[in-house]
Amino acid sequence: MWNDPIVEELHRVREDHAARFNGDLRGAIAEDLRRVEETWPAPVIDPPPKPPIPHRRLPTAA
């Protein structure tokens, strides 16, 4: 199997992050990620809404 060093690093970072919070995903990890998100220097970008998908008319019974 081929190993991707970037994916391996991502897994290692994720495992290290989870270990810092004893794997408490719903509590401590989520709170830490919210804190990081609040202090992130990049601007928040809201994508424009997607245009609606036109409905196709179904044939009516004659």
Side-chain angles (χ1 to χ4, degrees):
M1 186 170 122
W2 181 69
N3 290 329
D4 185 337
I6 295 173
V7 173
E8 288 177 6
E9 180 181 0
L10 176 65
H11 288 186
R12 184 182 47 74
V13 168
R14 183 184 62 195
E15 289 168 4
D16 291 348
H17 187 248
R20 286 189 359 218
F21 299 100
N22 297 322
D24 182 15
L25 178 62
R26 294 181 187 257
I29 294 173
E31 182 59 36
D32 183 58
L33 293 174
R34 283 188 205 98
R35 182 189 54 76
V36 169
E37 186 178 50
E38 288 175 357
T39 60
W40 196 257
V44 175
I45 300 171
D46 289 325
K50 293 182 179 180
I53 299 172
H55 293 313
R56 187 178 64 165
R57 288 191 174 256
L58 296 176
T60 57

